[in-house]
Amino acid sequence: MDALQCIRSRRSGRSYEDRPIPKDTINELLRLGTKAATGSGMQPWGFVVLEGRERIEALSTEIKAWLRPRLAELPWLAQYEEWLRKDSYNIFYNAPALVAVYGDPASHWHVYDASLCAANIMLAAHAQGLGTCWIGFAESFMNRSDIKSRYHVPEDFRLISVLTLGFARGHLPEAERRTPRVFYRG
Ligand SMILES: Cc1cc2nc3c(=O)[nH]c(=O)nc-3n(C[C@H](O)[C@H](O)[C@H](O)COP(=O)(O)O)c2cc1C
């Protein structure tokens, strides 16, 4: 698949085959992530990789339990309350792997850099038949001090993106988007 076709056809995958991803594949995805542009060349990113469906499902259960009483403080998630209250809803869609991308605020550009890194991982995964989905539901939880400590993330790093990763099941049509709003063209 060429780069243009890869960008054109990437979708958020929410259904995965029940098989693990080889460790070398995940390592290569992280390396490709770090090829992203990076402000002042600072490369202010770091990763947490979790593998194993059951373990990741248990994390989903933990996150939902933490989110439910806090939805009033997280108004951008309020519209998803019904999903988050469902025991059967796995926020990670039974993915066999997760990659969390953290940014180092020592760089002014860390949010942009780590987001570009996550986007590279999504596209590189798609190019080889792997599905990803950015899981905003996991943002606040994975940024908690005790959770960063659980996964050996330095306290000052900030969670930017949590991505599910798995061999994609099924095929989604190309995304439809609004026509780009061009505010000025001189
Ligand atoms: C910052 C961000 C947060 C997202 N959070 C979630 C999420 O928590 N759960 C989910 O299923 N999808 C999540 N998504 C995926 C979006 O729903 C998806 O990108 C959007 O519907 C467009 O679909 P597409 O990626 O297939 O083109 C998130 C995407 C982004 C960029």
Side-chain angles (χ1 to χ4, degrees), residues 6 10 28-37 45 113-128 132 134 163:
C6 183
R10 182 218 54 83
E28 178 62 1
L29 285 174
L30 299 185
R31 274 193 293 273
L32 290 166
T34 67
K35 300 292 184 188
W45 36 57
D113 292 9
S115 300
L116 289 169
C117 176
N120 265 15
I121 293 172
M122 294 169 96
L123 289 169
H126 176 56
Q128 50 193 305
T132 60
W134 183 312
L163 300 176

Side-chain angles (χ1 to χ4, degrees), residues 64-78:
K64 282 189 300 175
W66 183 78
L67 281 177
R68 282 174 191 146
R70 290 178 177 79
L71 288 173
E73 298 153 38
L74 306 166
W76 57 95
L77 297 185

Side-chain angles (χ1 to χ4, degrees), residues 10-12 14 83 89 93 133-137 175 177:
R10 182 218 54 83
R11 295 295 311 276
S12 293
R14 297 185 177 89
W83 298 11
Y89 179 64
Y93 304 106
C133 188
W134 183 312
I135 305 296
F137 288 150
R177 293 289 194 261

Side-chain angles (χ1 to χ4, degrees), residues 59-95:
L59 181 63
S60 163
T61 303
E62 196 183 354
I63 293 177
K64 282 189 300 175
W66 183 78
L67 281 177
R68 282 174 191 146
R70 290 178 177 79
L71 288 173
E73 298 153 38
L74 306 166
W76 57 95
L77 297 185
Q79 63 176 309
Y80 301 106
E81 180 166 1
E82 208 178 304
W83 298 11
L84 293 167
R85 293 207 181 279
K86 263 194 211 145
D87 288 339
S88 60
Y89 179 64
N90 178 341
I91 69 164
F92 300 124
Y93 304 106
N94 296 311

